[in-house]
Amino acid sequence: MAHETNQITARAAVTGTRNASLEELAQILERDQGAKVDMVAPASAITAVGGCITVTGVDQVLTPSGVTRADGAYRPTAVADEGVAEKLKIPTAYLRRMRAEAVDLYDLNVNGWLRKDPTRRFLLRAFTGEPGVLRAWLSDGYKIIDHLDMLTAVLAGIRESGHPVKITGADLTERRMIVRVESGHVAALAPELLRGYRSPFTGQTGDQLPVVSAGFVLTNSEVGSGRYAITPRIVAQVCGNGMTITRDAFGKVHLGARMSEGIVEFSKDTQEKNLALITAQTRDAVATFMNRDYVERKLADIQREAGREITSPAETVELVAKQLRFTDSVRDCVFNHFIKGGQTTAGGIMQAITATAQTLDDGDAAYELETQALSAMSIAAAA
């Protein structure tokens, strides 16, 4: 039971938020930045003790904020344990069971596989503390793009574009940062897509407000759970449902050159180059996605499938849920939103999924569900 409590404590130490404002997100990121420590360490310097990952022999460095030390014990989050499982080729489910039921076996397995190749190196991303929190266990070739740097560069790119936008909400989880951006001026009529739809949140209908806005979503992971990406998103004004068009995303995977052992620090020149690239990509994304012609082309693509009638709602939702691997609770919520929405078409399935995404407390689950909405519509249209 003690190790279960420790795992919960480690998770709680990683700050998260759902539907935060830009100001709230920036405050959290700035606070977390001071507690971060990243280190590249060989397997010979890493030991599992009581379910904690203990690091020894990593040289301390002097920074403007003081002396940074990496040596110490770190309690892994669930995400970090996934990294341990992947890099050491231990089945994830088994690693979780050992942590929950037999932490001595957790130590034995992790240490045994570390000793098999003591020169192999890993990047460990952590927060300092007593014990600290191990956020991620990654390859030493992982390219770090931190949330705060990304957010700063993205905002600079938006300013350079000269296009007025608003941040409609941000999520910060153990896995990723998600920032939703919407245009204040680029909108298009979508009467076919929204005909007969009723918002489950306000009761207003798509016939009364058949308008969609241009937008995009920014995502980044500091812990290996996905690439940095800028993905277009079309938002129905009547309900706030977002249609994420993943096939058109700008993105960059976190791969770089192998790093030297020790605490990871980037030169000012390297940081400036990373930020300049993100700023330029954001500026390009705004020019591409915040454009009425782009929105109308995508609407035309969506509307070709959206109008297909659904004659067996329960069976269709079940089919979509099985193919996209929804949990039972998500499946039931989607079905309820489909009924409430009153739009008995494949587009109604899409609306039900994006509406359900808005109600989820888990930012990762909400983001992942929304990215499946257009695929769900295609499945429903073909059923």
Side-chain angles (χ1 to χ4, degrees):
M1 187 68 182
H3 39 271
E4 289 181 3
T5 302
N6 286 338
Q7 180 74 353
I8 292 169
T9 301
R11 291 180 181 182
V14 180
T15 309
T17 187
R18 176 88 165 102
N19 288 322
S21 68
L22 178 61
E23 292 75 16
E24 291 168 336
L25 176 65
Q27 288 174 2
I28 293 169
L29 295 179
E30 287 170 359
R31 184 169 65 240
D32 287 351
Q33 198 71 13
K36 288 179 182 177
V37 59
D38 299 320
M39 68 202 89
V40 173
S44 59
I46 305 170
T47 309
V49 180
C52 277
I53 299 300
T54 300
V55 182
T56 56
V58 177
D59 292 338
Q60 62 190 34
V61 297
L62 182 63
T63 66
S65 58
V67 176
T68 299
R69 298 179 177 85
D71 283 7
Y74 299 89
R75 176 65 58 182
T77 64
V79 174
D81 265 347
E82 290 171 10
V84 173
E86 179 191 357
K87 298 306 178 192
L88 300 185
K89 294 183 169 56
I90 301 171
T92 303
Y94 181 51
L95 192 76
R96 288 173 178 159
R97 183 183 177 193
M98 289 188 290
R99 175 174 292 288
E101 300 177 18
V103 74
D104 57 326
L105 289 180
Y106 177 98
D107 293 347
L108 186 65
N109 276 265
V110 171
N111 291 333
W113 288 110
L114 285 171
R115 299 294 85 81
K116 287 286 186 181
D117 187 0
T119 62
R120 186 181 178 190
R121 301 187 310 176
F122 304 97
L123 169 64
L124 307 184
R125 306 210 71 190
F127 286 133
T128 56
E130 296 293 339
V133 175
L134 182 63
R135 304 192 297 139
W137 180 299
L138 300 161
S139 161
D140 65 343
Y142 184 84
K143 183 176 181 180
I144 294 173
I145 304 176
D146 275 341
H147 295 330
L148 187 59
D149 291 339
M150 178 199 172
L151 184 62
T152 300
V154 162
L155 293 176
I158 290 172
R159 284 193 300 272
E160 287 184 12
S161 76
H163 189 96
V165 301
K166 56 185 177 180
I167 307 297
T168 58
D171 303 332
L172 186 64
T173 74
E174 284 185 11
R175 295 187 184 279
R176 58 173 68 89
M177 177 180 70
I178 304 154
V179 182
R180 292 174 289 279
V181 181
E182 192 173 336
S183 171
H185 293 279
V186 177
L189 292 174
E192 292 179 39
L193 181 65
L194 297 172
R195 182 175 294 121
Y197 180 66
R198 181 180 296 276
S199 168
F201 308 115
T202 67
Q204 190 174 28
T205 69
D207 299 300
Q208 295 169 320
L209 186 61
V211 180
V212 297
S213 299
F216 54 88
V217 59
L218 312 163
T219 54
N220 186 56
S221 178
E222 296 184 335
V223 296
S225 294
R227 62 180 183 168
Y228 143 65
I230 304 172
T231 308
R233 185 172 185 260
I234 297 173
V235 183
Q237 292 187 9
V238 69
C239 54
N241 292 344
M243 293 159 273
T244 306
I245 306 167
T246 55
R247 70 182 65 178
D248 289 352
F250 283 101
K252 187 173 182 62
V253 295
H254 292 256
L255 292 176
R258 299 291 174 186
M259 292 180 281
S260 301
E261 288 180 17
I263 293 175
V264 177
E265 286 196 298
F266 291 110
S267 69
K268 184 178 180 181
D269 179 62
T270 298
Q271 289 175 322
E272 287 176 350
K273 286 179 179 177
N274 284 338
L275 298 185
L277 175 61
I278 295 171
T279 298
Q281 287 180 324
T282 303
R283 187 177 61 243
D284 292 344
V286 172
T288 301
F289 302 146
M290 300 302 201
N291 179 288
R292 186 170 287 103
D293 288 342
Y294 174 83
V295 174
E296 289 177 346
R297 286 199 310 273
K298 295 304 167 181
L299 277 176
D301 292 341
I302 292 168
Q303 288 175 160
R304 274 194 284 271
E305 293 181 319
R308 302 282 179 86
E309 284 292 324
I310 301 298
T311 57
S312 303
E315 290 84 350
T316 302
V317 171
E318 184 67 29
L319 174 66
V320 168
K322 283 185 176 179
Q323 291 201 24
L324 298 180
R325 299 182 180 180
F326 293 169
T327 64
D328 290 348
S329 62
V330 167
R331 177 202 62 203
D332 293 345
C333 192
V334 167
F335 182 73
N336 289 337
H337 276 296
F338 180 77
I339 299 302
K340 289 178 183 177
Q343 193 179 39
T344 58
T345 61
I349 295 287
M350 178 192 67
Q351 300 286 9
I353 288 173
T354 53
T356 296
Q358 291 194 64
T359 68
L360 300 181
D361 293 331
D362 184 324
D364 287 319
Y367 167 74
E368 289 163 5
L369 183 62
E370 185 178 289
T371 64
Q372 294 176 304
L374 292 180
S375 295
M377 183 182 69
S378 296
I379 293 168

